[in-house]
Amino acid sequence: MDREYQGGYGGGGAYEGGFRRAAGRRPVTDYGSSMAQWMRNRRPRYKGGYALEEERPSASYIVDMLPPAAKLQNPADTVPTKHLHSSLNKIKHPVNIVRWTPEGRRLLTGSSSGEFTLWNGMAFNFETIMQAHDTAIRAAEYSHSEDWLVSADQDGVVKYWQPNFNNVKAIQAHTDPIRDLSFSPNDSKFVTACDDATLKIFDFARGLEESTLTGHNWDAKTVDWHPTKGLLVSGSKDHQVKLWDPRTGRCLTTLHGHKNTISKTAFEPTRGQLLATSARDQTARVFDLRMMRDICLLRGHEKDISTLTWHPFHVSLLTTGGADGSIFHYLLDEPNAPAGTAPSIPPYDSTDPSNAPAQTIYPAHRLQYAHDFAVWSLDWHPLGHILASGSNDRVTRFWTRARPGETDCFSDRYHVGEATAEAHGTWDRRGGRRMMREEEEQEIDDEAEGLVDQKMPAKQPILPGIPGLAMPSMPAKDGTSVGGAQPIIPSVGDFVPGRLPSANGIAGMDPNTFAAMMAEGKIMIPPPISANGPGGLPPPPPLPPNFDFSKIPPGMFPPGFPLPLQFPPPPPPPPPPSVPQQQQLLLQNIEGQGLPSLPGLGSENAGGGGVRRRVPLPSQQESLMEEQRRGKYRTVR
């Protein structure tokens, strides 16, 4: 897949980290040209699959790159050897789960803080973040129909999500942490693996538990449902791998081969004939379900293997992640035995396949320093050209294959380490740290821009000059407001304010109809005018003795307002202030000291919480805008 930089680099540099990337420019991976070329030139598989020239290690063959689906017989061309991008949140937490959305446009990550983060699948920038769970997210899986996402957390809660991340259901599946979950082939059920040593099968539509599978002697750490069959596989802390019948809940067989906690089990998604398992004994094994035995033993890790994943198209490409942050890629049809080690033969080629030892496979490619800490999750892009990894070092990284002619990626710091890469001239520690800071600042800016709409509440109309006091909603012409139809006022029948009959309608109305409407309360009779006060209202309470009317602020009553009885007229308003006084009042209003029209409402009473906000004077504002137009102004990060 082709990778370009939006706008290019800002400054030269022959080694990684030795350049300064211009602000707002990031690498972009676009698979459109590769897919279009393959669709234009592909042929049926029995005719060869495609009619293009084979790729050669030259930059001139970049235009002839094809997607992995076009080279099913060449898995080595798909091995992701090049680092694309490292994405991290503003508030960093360990990344427990990485999952590509079904269409491949975004990557979903689940952190130990219970947050879902969406990253763009082509530019790898931040898109949005949401608080999905109250505790750490431990598992997440998309349905085969691509219509649902199910996630589980540390408290044993399972949540249903729509593709727009609308949470429609939450169930308390377990009381202990859920470590893994998987959908059935038809999405009608899903299974969970929990630290209470049980597996539970749930009906997806009803959200009800159907059966509980017991048989493990310790915590169940992983589970997977066969892509086409009614078959479950689970791994536990008791070093055992079990196969289950989901219909009866019976354990079909137990596979013994590992000597420590099983960390991951996964069926091969393309054909479903192989089963891969990894454990904390630094090894991974591949079982053939037709022979019900292990056929490959994957070695090479120096620490525990924490996760693994199959390639979506290549059956023989398996990727593992280690507790030391390494990522190894294995080709099951290539032993890749190191120098001085005798290669072993596969059981298929032996005279006694049932009793022959498993073939030892070594990594075809090693990313020894992919992460600083344990790799918790790996997931391939649906097209198979990008691998995403989530780690305990709080970073999500994207990997892809090198373009024809690229060799610098094999000596970067992810392959040989920072010290060796610095000695070879492919890594500059100081420049790399500066570049990392710039990338973090870019991610922070992207996150701030993406959360503007989420952080800003809906603005309600307020009364001018009175912060925090909402303006009452006015009825529309049809008698309804924003919230729907207006409620019926008690004791007034079905009379709705704003729907009084017109004067002409009352004048031409039949007397019997008018009397009936008055009896039903559809027409309100105005109260009689009383001498006690305007509108028949009771007189106001007596004023306290020695009440000083001069303390009433000017402008309290609008012009022409009829004062109630016993209210003497207020004092006349003061003369308008002079020009210096107007400037002083304006400065006080800007600095939040008070509102000149409403004495007594200072900054401590306003809706701003008493925060004094200073803004430039008009002359400073104009000069600032002029500097911005000249391009000499940069925002402080």
Side-chain angles (χ1 to χ4, degrees):
M1 303 304 167
D2 197 10
R3 291 178 300 279
E4 298 295 340
Y5 282 84
Q6 293 179 344
Y9 291 108
Y15 46 79
E16 181 185 358
F19 57 86
R20 181 181 180 86
R21 186 180 301 165
R25 300 173 183 174
R26 59 172 66 248
V28 173
T29 301
D30 185 11
Y31 51 83
S33 59
S34 301
M35 291 295 296
Q37 178 164 314
W38 175 53
M39 295 175 66
R40 184 173 62 247
N41 299 299
R42 64 181 175 177
R43 296 184 302 179
R45 293 184 183 178
Y46 70 89
K47 292 185 178 180
Y50 59 95
L52 296 177
E53 185 178 358
E54 292 288 343
E55 294 179 6
R56 300 183 183 181
S58 173
S60 60
Y61 286 86
I62 294 178
V63 296
D64 296 330
M65 293 181 67
L66 296 176
K71 297 185 175 182
L72 298 179
Q73 306 302 325
N74 298 321
D77 293 343
T78 312
V79 174
T81 60
K82 182 177 179 61
H83 170 257
L84 273 179
H85 187 73
S86 297
S87 300
L88 63 163
N89 294 87
K90 178 180 179 181
I91 302 177
K92 306 175 183 63
H93 297 281
V95 180
N96 297 333
I97 292 295
V98 292
R99 290 290 181 268
W100 286 95
T101 55
E103 78 282 356
R105 297 181 61 183
R106 296 173 181 84
L107 177 73
L108 173 71
T109 62
S111 66
S112 60
S113 62
E115 295 175 336
F116 276 160
T117 306
L118 278 178
W119 305 94
N120 189 280
M122 296 181 64
F124 317 116
N125 59 294
F126 171 88
E127 286 201 355
T128 188
I129 189 172
M130 62 176 296
Q131 188 68 38
H133 288 263
D134 297 331
T135 56
I137 300 174
R138 295 298 180 186
E141 194 72 25
Y142 275 97
S143 63
H144 298 87
S145 63
E146 305 178 358
D147 293 333
W148 295 97
L149 170 70
V150 173
S151 60
D153 63 10
Q154 183 78 11
D155 289 343
V157 177
V158 174
K159 291 188 176 183
Y160 293 11
W161 306 88
Q162 292 177 327
N164 59 354
F165 293 96
N166 178 32
N167 181 217
V168 298
K169 193 177 186 62
I171 59 177
Q172 186 69 44
H174 296 266
T175 56
D176 292 330
I178 298 177
R179 296 296 177 177
D180 202 1
L181 58 86
S182 181
F183 269 99
S184 64
N186 59 0
D187 296 334
S188 63
K189 306 179 190 307
F190 67 92
V191 60
T192 59
C194 181
D195 279 354
D196 58 6
T198 64
L199 308 177
K200 288 187 178 182
I201 299 177
F202 290 85
D203 183 88
F204 176 75
R206 297 180 300 167
L208 300 178
E209 176 186 345
E210 288 193 346
S211 60
T212 301
L213 311 183
T214 58
H216 282 293
N217 301 320
W218 216 342
D219 303 352
K221 295 297 185 182
T222 176
V223 69
D224 193 23
W225 205 307
H226 195 275
T228 58
K229 297 179 174 59
L231 184 63
L232 296 177
V233 62
S234 63
S236 172
K237 202 173 180 180
D238 58 4
H239 312 172
Q240 296 179 357
V241 176
K242 291 181 178 291
L243 295 175
W244 307 81
D245 183 357
R247 301 176 183 86
T248 62
R250 184 171 62 92
C251 178
L252 300 177
T253 186
T254 301
L255 303 177
H256 302 274
H258 291 286
K259 301 178 181 179
N260 210 322
T261 301
I262 309 298
S263 57
K264 187 66 176 177
T265 58
F267 288 108
E268 197 277 316
T270 305
R271 301 176 183 174
Q273 299 174 352
L274 302 179
L275 167 66
T277 62
S278 62
R280 297 181 60 183
D281 57 2
Q282 306 176 14
T283 63
R285 293 180 180 268
V286 178
F287 293 83
D288 192 330
L289 298 178
R290 298 166 296 181
M291 302 173 63
M292 204 57 67
R293 58 150 297 175
D294 54 339
I295 59 173
C296 294
L297 174 63
L298 309 184
R299 294 186 178 274
H301 278 277
E302 301 176 356
K303 297 292 182 180
D304 304 341
I305 300 179
S306 53
T307 186
L308 58 81
T309 184
W310 292 92
H311 192 271
F313 296 108
H314 298 298
V315 181
S316 60
L317 179 55
L318 185 66
T319 302
T320 61
D324 56 353
S326 60
I327 296 178
F328 289 176
H329 305 286
Y330 294 88
L331 296 176
L332 302 185
D333 51 1
E334 297 181 9
N336 295 301
T341 303
S344 57
I345 61 174
Y348 305 113
D349 297 338
S350 64
T351 58
D352 188 7
S354 300
N355 300 320
Q359 184 183 19
T360 303
I361 306 294
Y362 292 91
H365 187 78
R366 303 169 186 254
L367 284 167
Q368 190 66 48
Y369 305 94
H371 287 273
D372 297 333
F373 297 101
V375 179
W376 292 133
S377 182
L378 296 169
D379 196 34
W380 281 96
H381 190 279
L383 294 179
H385 68 293
I386 296 179
L387 175 68
S389 60
S391 169
N392 200 41
D393 61 3
R394 310 173 184 181
V395 179
T396 302
R397 289 201 166 103
F398 299 85
W399 314 87
T400 190
R401 57 176 176 169
R403 292 183 293 186
E406 285 185 343
T407 57
D408 295 340
C409 61
F410 298 100
S411 58
D412 61 6
R413 64 188 182 102
Y414 303 107
H415 287 80
V416 299
E418 292 187 1
T420 307
E422 190 174 8
H424 291 171
T426 58
W427 168 255
D428 177 38
R429 189 179 301 270
R430 182 180 302 176
R433 290 176 179 174
R434 183 179 66 248
M435 184 180 65
M436 186 178 301
R437 286 196 303 267
E438 292 180 357
E439 290 180 353
E440 291 183 6
E441 293 172 356
Q442 182 67 36
E443 298 294 349
I444 292 175
D445 292 345
D446 293 342
E447 184 169 347
E449 294 174 0
L451 295 181
V452 167
D453 296 335
Q454 300 182 25
K455 287 185 177 181
M456 291 297 294
K459 295 184 178 180
Q460 301 291 338
I462 60 174
L463 290 176
I466 305 180
L469 185 58
M471 182 176 294
S473 58
M474 301 301 294
K477 293 183 179 180
D478 58 350
T480 60
S481 60
V482 178
Q486 295 184 359
I488 298 175
I489 302 177
S491 71
V492 190
D494 56 356
F495 168 74
V496 178
R499 288 190 176 181
L500 291 174
S502 61
N504 296 332
I506 295 179
M509 189 180 299
D510 182 59
N512 297 330
T513 305
F514 182 77
M517 294 182 64
M518 290 180 58
E520 295 176 1
K522 294 184 178 180
I523 297 180
M524 297 183 62
I525 305 176
I529 300 177
S530 174
N532 294 332
L537 298 177
L543 298 176
N546 302 326
F547 181 78
D548 188 5
F549 288 94
S550 61
K551 294 183 179 180
I552 299 179
M556 175 65 73
F557 302 107
F561 180 78
L563 295 176
L565 299 178
Q566 303 180 5
F567 272 82
S578 60
V579 175
Q581 293 178 354
Q582 290 181 356
Q583 294 178 356
Q584 183 66 23
L585 290 176
L586 177 60
L587 291 178
Q588 290 180 1
N589 189 16
I590 291 177
E591 297 180 3
Q593 297 296 329
L595 299 176
S597 58
L598 295 177
L601 289 180
S603 59
E604 66 275 6
N605 300 329
V611 179
R612 299 179 59 182
R613 302 184 58 185
R614 299 182 180 272
V615 297
L617 295 177
S619 59
Q620 297 176 354
Q621 186 72 23
E622 294 174 358
S623 61
L624 178 61
M625 294 176 62
E626 181 65 25
E627 292 295 327
Q628 289 177 342
R629 283 193 293 266
R630 295 177 181 176
K632 299 181 180 180
Y633 178 80
R634 289 189 61 188
T635 58
V636 180
R637 296 187 183 275

